[in-house]
């Protein structure tokens, strides 16, 4: 599939879901915006404290650690299968083992743990207030395109996988 312009043919890689997903944004961006925006709103506009007493900080660190562990486990799984973690790159293998046995999106699941943990560590509810917007952005700006790419590239193997493993948990 290509486009011709001035006698030259250009490969339409950006539109072909077999070659790569058409991801609209870098996936950590909405989480970072929520954390920074939440911190700013809490500090300078309206404080919405999140305080679970003495458990607040340990629970925050535990959630961050769980999120990072899930991220590292997923990276290790990608490396073992020699495929990319790059949300703009095409997958060379369909990962169904490791954390992908439990979630089709373990990195994004880890990001949710980190968001909750950072909210606890900052002591504000604000980043969590943005959770519905983050979910919509990730679901339709990233995951939809990744799923289209995986289905176009791996076909029935991917469709079978989606019947066995939930999108989140």
């Amino acid at each position: 599939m290509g486009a011709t312009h001035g006698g030259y043919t250009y490969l339409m890689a950006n539109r072909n879901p077999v070659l790569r997903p058409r991801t609209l944004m870098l996936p950590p961006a909405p989480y970072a915006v929520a954390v920074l925006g939440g911190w700013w709103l809490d500090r300078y506009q309206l404080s919405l404290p999140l305080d679970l007493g003495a458990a607040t900080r340990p629970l925050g660190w535990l959630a961050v650690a769980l999120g990072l562990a899930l991220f590292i486990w997923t990276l290790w799984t990608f490396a073992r299968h020699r495929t990319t973690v790059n949300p703009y790159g095409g997958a060379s293998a369909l990962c169904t083992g490791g954390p992908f046995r439990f979630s089709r999106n373990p990195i994004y699941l880890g990001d949710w743990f980190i968001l909750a943990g950072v909210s606890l560590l900052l002591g504000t509810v604000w980043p969590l207030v943005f959770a519905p917007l983050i979910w919509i952005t990730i679901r339709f700006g990233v995951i939809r395109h990744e799923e289209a790419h995986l289905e176009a590239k791996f076909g029935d193997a991917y469709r079978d996988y989606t019947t066995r493993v939930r999108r989140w948990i």
Side-chain angles (χ1 to χ4, degrees):
M1 178 190 298
T4 303
H5 177 65
Y8 295 98
T9 301
Y10 298 95
L11 186 62
M12 300 299 286
N14 289 342
R15 295 201 176 142
N16 187 341
V18 173
L19 299 177
R20 71 170 203 76
R22 292 178 23 195
T23 304
L24 299 178
M25 75 202 61
L26 194 58
Y31 298 97
V33 168
V35 166
L36 292 173
W39 170 82
W40 182 82
L41 284 167
D42 190 71
R43 180 154 181 153
Y44 297 108
Q45 299 298 317
L46 173 64
S47 180
L48 289 178
L50 177 59
D51 186 1
L52 304 177
T56 303
R57 293 191 61 76
L59 285 175
W61 284 115
L62 177 62
V64 169
L66 286 171
L68 290 174
L70 195 50
F71 180 74
I72 291 167
W73 188 18
T74 305
L75 290 180
W76 182 72
T77 303
F78 279 146
R80 279 189 25 242
H81 287 89
R82 292 182 171 80
T83 192
T84 184
V85 69
N86 180 351
Y88 301 107
S92 59
L94 179 61
C95 296
T96 59
F100 292 96
R101 289 178 299 178
F102 311 105
S103 172
R104 295 195 321 250
N105 295 289
I107 287 179
Y108 306 137
L109 185 58
D111 288 342
W112 286 104
F113 279 110
I114 293 170
L115 179 70
V118 169
S119 293
L120 285 164
L121 294 171
L122 291 175
T124 180
V125 174
W126 275 113
L128 299 176
V129 168
F130 297 117
L133 292 173
I134 296 169
W135 183 86
I136 290 168
T137 303
I138 293 296
R139 172 65 185 91
F140 296 103
V142 180
I143 292 173
R144 175 177 65 162
H145 301 290
E146 291 176 345
E147 288 176 344
H149 164 67
L150 294 170
E151 185 170 0
K153 185 146 189 173
F154 300 108
D156 287 339
Y158 179 72
R159 284 186 287 278
D160 290 344
Y161 170 66
T162 64
T163 64
R164 293 188 319 271
V165 178
R166 298 172 59 107
R167 183 175 284 130
W168 295 103
I169 50 174

